[in-house]
Amino acid sequence: MDIPSKVVITAPQFGLNQREGTLIAISPHGYYELHIQLPSSNTHQVLLPVDGTMLMAYEPVLTPAAGFEVER
């Protein structure tokens, strides 16, 4: 995943369930630095622990065209 990257964030312990945001950095100290737009229309910087936080890339993985083969 590239940084910055648009992601969907799920962190139930913080009340975040499939919230869109931007991954800014992954700290060696065990947290994600994210920008999240709150319902008040303001964007906030948040730090969420890697343990217990799920990030999913916002854009789906492209499906290869029919007949496309990878030489092994």
Side-chain angles (χ1 to χ4, degrees):
M1 188 178 297
D2 295 328
I3 294 179
S5 185
K6 193 167 183 178
V7 295
V8 178
I9 306 154
T10 301
Q13 70 273 32
F14 300 106
L16 298 173
N17 187 23
Q18 298 185 350
R19 178 75 58 116
E20 292 180 24
T22 304
L23 174 63
I24 302 300
I26 302 171
S27 167
H29 302 290
Y31 62 85
Y32 296 118
E33 179 182 344
L34 300 152
H35 288 178
I36 299 175
Q37 187 169 3
L38 297 179
S40 63
S41 299
N42 293 323
T43 300
H44 294 270
Q45 177 181 3
V46 296
L47 303 175
L48 294 175
V50 170
D51 186 31
T53 301
M54 192 277 294
L55 299 180
M56 178 176 67
Y58 187 78
E59 296 295 325
V61 176
L62 299 176
T63 304
F68 178 79
E69 293 183 25
V70 175
E71 185 175 330
R72 297 179 194 249

